[in-house]
Amino acid sequence: MESCKQISEAETPSSEQAARSADCPAAAGAFCRISHELKSHMPFTFFGALTGIGILAVFVTADVPSGVSTRLFWSLHPLHVLMSAVTTTAMFTLHSRRAVLATLVIGYVGSVGIGTLSDCLIPYVGEVLLDLPHRGIHLGFIEKWWLVNPLAVMGILAGYSWPRTKIAHAGHVLLSTWASLFHMIMALGADLPLATYVPITVFLFLAVWIPCCTSDIVFPLLFAKK
């Protein structure tokens, strides 16, 4: 089966479904589909987490001002929501009857809802468990509602009007990884023990692995009906 890092523009809904059914028979249901997608995402998601740790090491070593991390988070998180909205909506549109209301709901929940889980909520849980000194929960669709929500709507309209999924999933994974990373960097204090890098890697991996796979592929297809 073709990796879901990049889904070919030329691929039709029927051919994609046929490819998926080879690994997951219809009788196996949604669990098999989700399991397959999660397994296929693991290697690159782990690579993404490692890039995040590399960036973290540079920021800590160079003593980069916290304001830089704040600006980067509020740049990457909205971009993540936009890309997720395009991909989620396009996937749902290709596999559904193109009902406008259903598309809006799936596109918004799949991008803003799952994007918030990935970039904000899971990193915050990590900050709490690691007892980071400046931990805080930053909900983009509320704090920057004027930026995040319009971008989500733009992404939904783009995915609905031009339903192609020729968007590298790798780009989505990296955007989400780095947004989650900078959310956690904002919570850091003056010192970061070396041992803390390991759990941060784990939280970065979890923050991206399940949510990104779910929002791009599994979530829209679970609700799509031909």
Side-chain angles (χ1 to χ4, degrees):
M1 177 181 173
E2 180 181 342
S3 170
C4 60
K5 291 178 184 176
Q6 184 172 352
I7 302 174
S8 171
E9 180 178 352
E11 184 176 359
T12 62
S14 58
S15 64
E16 181 179 336
Q17 288 172 339
R20 290 175 185 279
S21 64
D23 291 313
C24 290
F31 178 79
C32 179
R33 175 186 293 172
I34 294 172
S35 176
H36 178 80
E37 296 296 348
L38 290 177
K39 288 178 182 178
S40 66
H41 277 66
M42 286 183 70
F44 191 81
T45 304
F46 183 69
F47 169 76
L50 292 181
T51 67
I53 291 302
I55 295 172
L56 173 62
V58 171
F59 269 60
V60 171
T61 303
D63 195 22
V64 177
S66 60
V68 175
S69 298
T70 301
R71 288 192 293 271
L72 287 171
F73 171 77
W74 287 118
S75 298
L76 293 171
H77 175 61
L79 287 175
H80 175 206
V81 169
L82 173 63
M83 179 173 285
S84 180
V86 172
T87 310
T88 302
T89 305
M91 182 64 69
F92 179 74
T93 301
L94 286 171
H95 292 264
S96 71
R97 298 189 179 94
R98 298 174 64 92
V100 176
L101 181 59
T103 301
L104 286 172
V105 173
I106 296 299
Y108 187 84
V109 175
S111 59
V112 175
I114 299 178
T116 298
L117 173 66
S118 175
D119 296 353
C120 310
L121 298 179
I122 294 179
Y124 176 68
V125 171
E127 294 165 15
V128 171
L129 294 177
L130 294 174
D131 196 26
L132 299 183
H134 305 299
R135 57 186 176 273
I137 187 167
H138 305 284
L139 303 178
F141 71 99
I142 295 177
E143 292 186 41
K144 303 284 186 181
W145 60 268
W146 48 269
L147 175 62
V148 173
N149 292 309
L151 285 177
V153 174
M154 288 173 57
I156 292 169
L157 293 175
Y160 182 79
S161 303
W162 194 67
R164 299 293 184 273
T165 54
K166 192 178 180 181
I167 297 176
H169 188 79
H172 184 187
V173 168
L174 292 177
L175 273 178
S176 181
T177 299
W178 297 337
S180 303
L181 169 70
F182 290 117
H183 191 290
M184 298 191 76
I185 289 180
M186 288 192 291
L188 297 178
D191 299 316
L192 183 66
L194 188 61
T196 308
Y197 282 78
V198 175
I200 288 180
T201 304
V202 173
F203 279 110
L204 285 180
F205 179 84
L206 293 177
V208 176
W209 181 42
I210 297 177
C212 275
C213 178
T214 301
S215 66
D216 276 7
I217 309 293
V218 177
F219 181 73
L221 291 183
L222 284 178
F223 293 95
K225 293 181 180 180
K226 283 289 185 183

